[in-house]
């Protein structure tokens, strides 16, 4: 489709909002970046590469801000990364047909929405042994890593509440872990994809700039002032809108 200056500005604004909201709760925004690019008709080969690149930008800023405020804990993130890194690399090597890619993306977004609206209470804690926590961390890391490599979704939206429920860390520590996790699996998935395809990021400078600004402001506000619950409600609205448009694109 033809990208007019007006449409390019609107697109950059949308990416700014997505980056701000997601980064405020320690996430990269890959689910909504990917959905938005799919809706406007970008190639199924290009979409994950751009989305993973944008995830890297946002989560780099988010990781810095959360670590600077001493919320990041190495012992929390390591078990997830052990399995996530190789699986995200594997996911990046898979090349799905466009129709399959769109359905995987749609299902991923529906699960995201269910997580936000049906799994609201992260105030309870599951009493598990250290060994059980490690097993769950390794399992979750492998699944989230694989999805990240395939469609460009970082997985932070699932990881953050999981850390809280498993009683591994506080809300801020979970957000910091989410940012670091998204950065790592996005890098692994992108490296895998770049072995088979190339991308000229200069063509996406406007949205990259919007993501940088939105990611910095969102992660700064999220690590200091904003309420994670309030930002997650806004995130839910973004995801629902993306689901509707993506569903229409697939069926019609």
């Amino acid at each position: 489709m033809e990208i007019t200056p007006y449409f390019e500005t609107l697109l950059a604004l949308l990416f700014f909002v997505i980056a701000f909201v997601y980064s405020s709760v320690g996430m990269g925004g890959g689910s909504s970046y990917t959905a938005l690019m799919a809706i406007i008709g970008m190639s199924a080969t290009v979409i994950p590469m751009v989305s993973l690149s944008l995830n890297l930008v946002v989560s780099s800023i988010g990781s810095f801000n959360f670590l600077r405020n001493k919320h990041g804990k190495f012992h929390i993130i390591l078990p997830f990364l052990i399995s996530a890194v190789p699986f995200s690399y594997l996911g990046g090597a898979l090349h799905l047909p466009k129709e399959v890619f769109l359905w995987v993306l749609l299902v991923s977004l529906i699960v995201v929405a269910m997580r936000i609206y049906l799994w609201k209470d992260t105030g309870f804690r599951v009493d598990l042994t250290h060994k059980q926590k490690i097993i769950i961390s390794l399992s979750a890391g492998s699944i989230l890593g694989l999805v990240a490599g395939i469609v460009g979704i970082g997985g932070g939206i699932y990881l953050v509440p999981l850390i809280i429920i498993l009683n591994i860390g506080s809300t801020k520590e979970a957000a910091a872990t989410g940012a670091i996790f998204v950065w790592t699996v996005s890098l692994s998935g992108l490296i895998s994809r770049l072995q088979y395809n190339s991308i000229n990021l200069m063509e996406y400078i406007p949205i990259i700039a919007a993501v940088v600004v939105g990611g910095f402001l969102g992660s700064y506000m999220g690590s200091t002032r904003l309420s994670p619950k309030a930002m997650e409600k806004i995130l839910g609205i973004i995801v629902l809108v993306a689901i509707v448009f993506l569903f229409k694109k697939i069926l019609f």
Side-chain angles (χ1 to χ4, degrees), residues 163-233:
I163 290 172
I164 297 172
I165 287 174
L166 293 180
N167 204 22
I168 296 176
S170 66
T171 301
K172 295 295 184 182
E173 288 171 345
T177 301
I180 297 169
F181 180 89
V182 170
W183 186 89
T184 308
V185 298
S186 296
L187 178 62
S188 177
L190 186 60
I191 289 174
S192 178
R193 285 190 168 273
L194 287 175
Q195 293 183 357
Y196 305 98
N197 302 282
S198 61
I199 183 174
N200 181 12
L201 290 178
M202 296 302 293
E203 298 177 4
Y204 306 97
I205 289 298
I207 62 175
I208 291 174
V211 163
V212 168
V213 176
F216 179 82
L217 292 177
S219 60
Y220 172 75
M221 296 294 287
S223 63
T224 56
R225 301 180 183 182
L226 296 177
S227 164
K229 289 186 178 180
M231 298 310 296
E232 193 169 81
K233 289 180 181 179

Side-chain angles (χ1 to χ4, degrees), residues 101-111 242-243 246-247 250:
F101 172 83
L102 291 177
W103 276 108
V104 172
L105 175 58
L106 179 61
V107 171
S108 301
L109 288 175
I110 291 173
V111 174
I243 288 174
L246 188 60
F247 192 74
I250 293 175

Side-chain angles (χ1 to χ4, degrees), residues 34-228:
T34 304
L36 183 56
M37 288 184 284
I39 289 167
I40 65 175
M42 291 178 62
S43 165
T45 301
V46 172
I47 289 174
M49 299 178 71
V50 175
S51 186
L52 290 170
S53 299
L54 295 176
N55 272 345
L56 273 175
V57 173
V58 176
S59 56
S60 295
I61 301 168
S63 298
F64 171 77
N65 278 323
F66 281 106
L67 289 174
R68 183 167 59 91
N69 286 279
K70 301 181 179 180
H71 297 306
K73 304 295 179 183
F74 182 74
H75 71 277
I76 296 178
I77 184 62
L78 184 60
F80 292 101
L81 293 184
I82 289 174
S83 58
V85 170
F87 272 90
S88 61
Y89 188 89
L90 173 62
L94 299 177
H95 298 278
L96 303 179
K98 184 176 181 180
E99 292 75 16
V100 177
F101 172 83
L102 291 177
W103 276 108
V104 172
L105 175 58
L106 179 61
V107 171
S108 301
L109 288 175
I110 291 173
V111 174
V112 169
M114 291 174 63
R115 213 290 291 156
I116 293 173
Y117 290 105
L118 300 182
W119 187 13
K120 295 180 180 180
D121 184 14
T122 54
F124 70 94
R125 300 290 187 271
V126 177
D127 187 17
L128 300 174
T129 65
H130 178 70
K131 182 178 180 180
Q132 289 173 327
K133 290 180 181 179
I134 294 297
I135 292 174
I136 293 176
S137 297
L138 291 172
S139 301
S142 61
I143 295 171
L144 297 178
L146 184 65
V147 174
I150 293 175
V151 296
I153 295 176
I157 195 165
Y158 309 114
L159 183 63
V160 171
L162 184 63
I163 290 172
I164 297 172
I165 287 174
L166 293 180
N167 204 22
I168 296 176
S170 66
T171 301
K172 295 295 184 182
E173 288 171 345
T177 301
I180 297 169
F181 180 89
V182 170
W183 186 89
T184 308
V185 298
S186 296
L187 178 62
S188 177
L190 186 60
I191 289 174
S192 178
R193 285 190 168 273
L194 287 175
Q195 293 183 357
Y196 305 98
N197 302 282
S198 61
I199 183 174
N200 181 12
L201 290 178
M202 296 302 293
E203 298 177 4
Y204 306 97
I205 289 298
I207 62 175
I208 291 174
V211 163
V212 168
V213 176
F216 179 82
L217 292 177
S219 60
Y220 172 75
M221 296 294 287
S223 63
T224 56
R225 301 180 183 182
L226 296 177
S227 164

